[in-house]
Amino acid sequence: MITHEHLAMLARPYGMAANDLEFVRSNQNHVYLCRRDDRRCILRISTGRHRSCAQVEAELAWIEFLAAQSVRVCRPIPALNGQTCVTLSAEGTVYIVTCFEHAPGRKIMPSDIAPPIYEKLGGLLAQLHSHALKLPAGHAAETRAPWHESRLLNEDVADLRGRVSPGFMKSLKDLMQKLRLLPAAPGSFGLIHADACLGNCFLDDDHLWIFDFDNCEQGHFVQDFATILYDSIYCRVLNQFADEGLNDRIAPLWAGLWRGYAKAGPLAAIDALQLKHFFLLREAVIYIHYHRTLDVPALSESFKAGLEVMRKNVEDQAHQVDFERLVSLSQDAQISTAI
């Protein structure tokens, strides 16, 4: 946690006081709810995490580009001096502070988990991918790093050496080597959100807003689908461990996602093996995150058993999800939309 004294220093450039901030969460960043000019906003404070102000400014340039295309994103709010990214130091710690509009509407609730919400998410993802292909050459957002240079797959992995199994590390390296062989094909590669999920969306009447572009990167569009499949479909319907009905519960939600995407998304087809490999890469990232942020020995036995399933999935490069079935549903969605 950030001390009250440091929080006061970090909020000051945006015209706020420490007492104006309401803590939301600490994960990759420290996030606070606040008000400025009588409107709700979000103050995001990054410490370390291998991120520079230049990288954050590229993220903000991408958000501004999307907002100019009428995509429902939360725009950055500049500091009092006009800067959109403020770097400050205190007692040897470097902080990067940014402020964003707060999304209108509300969080996605368990009662929302049905095909219609995924159709909306698919439509929003189609907008992100379509506009990624329209970025002008030399746009500031293009300086975001490629997916394989992500801190999640490099610095975070290096920090865990000796704390996870050699088999896991070997398989993770193999997955990345396989995926790096994929060509950056026109129409299926560009800036991606890289953390697209219902947890990073708000529902406002009939529309979805998306936020938290902190991990955005140059990547394959299928990666966003793999992230949604893992975070917002598989984990949402998983009954602690995979059962015989898992794929039947996944199917209608995935089909809804593709119905929404197929109306305007540039990705016309998806490869089952690529989807599987990026899905396993996402599971590896989450597994690494748990080991970085949690006291694993103190976890419940059921949680540790779940971690073991994740480890084995990555090591064996196998999974309980039926990726071939999902690709077939994607093709059906493309055909029905074309008709």
Side-chain angles (χ1 to χ4, degrees):
M1 295 293 292
I2 301 175
T3 66
H4 189 274
E5 179 184 2
H6 288 176
L7 202 56
M9 175 194 71
L10 298 171
R12 193 174 299 123
Y14 290 90
M16 304 171 193
N19 291 335
D20 298 331
L21 307 184
E22 177 185 336
F23 177 76
V24 177
R25 67 175 183 271
S26 286
N27 192 341
Q28 295 189 47
N29 304 291
H30 305 282
V31 180
Y32 294 85
L33 177 65
C34 46
R35 284 191 174 273
R36 180 168 162 183
D37 300 328
D38 292 325
R39 58 174 174 166
R40 291 196 305 168
C41 51
I42 291 291
L43 196 72
R44 187 184 76 189
I45 302 171
S46 304
T47 55
R49 298 291 294 129
H50 315 286
R51 182 74 82 220
S52 69
C53 201
Q55 291 171 323
V56 172
E57 287 172 343
E59 169 202 351
L60 304 183
W62 172 225
I63 295 170
E64 287 285 12
F65 177 82
L66 292 171
Q69 315 306 315
S70 300
V71 181
R72 292 181 176 85
V73 293
C74 299
R75 301 178 68 177
I77 298 172
L80 297 179
N81 65 0
Q83 291 180 313
T84 54
C85 177
V86 176
T87 304
L88 298 166
S89 299
E91 298 181 9
T93 299
V94 177
Y95 298 93
I96 298 176
V97 190
T98 45
C99 190
F100 298 89
E101 297 173 339
H102 194 289
R106 60 172 177 81
K107 294 180 180 179
I108 308 301
M109 306 301 291
S111 57
D112 296 314
I113 303 305
I117 198 73
Y118 290 89
E119 192 164 344
K120 296 180 191 299
L121 183 57
L124 185 55
L125 191 62
Q127 286 186 292
L128 296 182
H129 291 173
S130 295
H131 291 302
L133 299 177
K134 299 173 185 175
L135 266 178
H139 192 279
E142 289 191 329
T143 60
R144 290 293 289 198
W147 69 270
H148 55 84
E149 293 181 9
S150 166
R151 64 190 180 189
L152 304 175
L153 295 169
N154 291 278
E155 291 87 356
D156 286 1
V157 173
D159 289 345
L160 281 184
R161 293 195 186 281
R163 295 167 56 192
V164 296
S165 73
F168 177 92
M169 300 296 274
K170 180 180 178 181
S171 186
L172 175 58
K173 182 179 179 180
D174 180 64
L175 277 170
M176 290 186 65
Q177 288 176 338
K178 289 174 180 174
L179 290 169
R180 288 194 65 180
L181 294 175
L182 296 179
S188 63
F189 187 94
L191 265 175
I192 60 173
H193 186 283
D195 200 13
C197 61
L198 289 177
N200 284 332
C201 292
F202 264 33
L203 181 63
D204 182 38
D205 291 329
D206 200 38
H207 302 292
L208 278 185
W209 287 70
I210 190 165
F211 43 85
D212 196 357
F213 283 73
D214 181 44
N215 290 329
C216 68
E217 59 196 9
Q218 300 285 348
H220 302 271
F221 292 161
V222 66
Q223 290 176 248
D224 277 337
F225 281 100
T227 298
I228 291 171
L229 176 59
Y230 188 86
D231 289 30
S232 292
I233 298 180
Y234 168 70
C235 289
R236 291 271 184 169
V237 303
L238 187 67
N239 287 334
Q240 190 169 2
F241 298 102
D243 58 14
E244 290 184 359
L246 174 67
N247 285 293
D248 289 335
R249 296 193 298 275
I250 286 174
L253 306 183
W254 177 262
L257 179 72
W258 266 91
R259 278 197 302 274
Y261 186 86
K263 296 173 185 176
L267 196 60
I270 196 166
D271 180 85
L273 188 58
Q274 290 177 16
L275 178 63
K276 175 184 176 181
H277 285 166
F278 276 120
F279 182 91
L280 287 168
L281 197 66
R282 181 64 177 181
E283 186 154 53
V285 164
I286 301 302
Y287 181 83
I288 291 164
H289 171 74
Y290 285 151
H291 279 269
R292 283 188 58 255
T293 61
L294 302 177
D295 182 3
V296 174
L299 296 172
S300 68
E301 291 305 313
S302 62
F303 200 115
K304 285 189 278 190
L307 285 176
E308 278 300 293
V309 173
M310 296 173 73
R311 177 192 61 77
K312 192 173 188 305
N313 287 342
V314 175
E315 288 188 2
D316 296 345
Q317 295 189 20
H319 210 276
Q320 301 78 27
V321 171
D322 186 344
F323 298 98
E324 294 287 350
R325 179 179 177 182
L326 296 183
V327 167
S328 176
L329 290 170
S330 305
Q331 293 168 344
D332 291 345
Q334 289 285 355
I335 293 169
S336 64
T337 302
I339 294 173

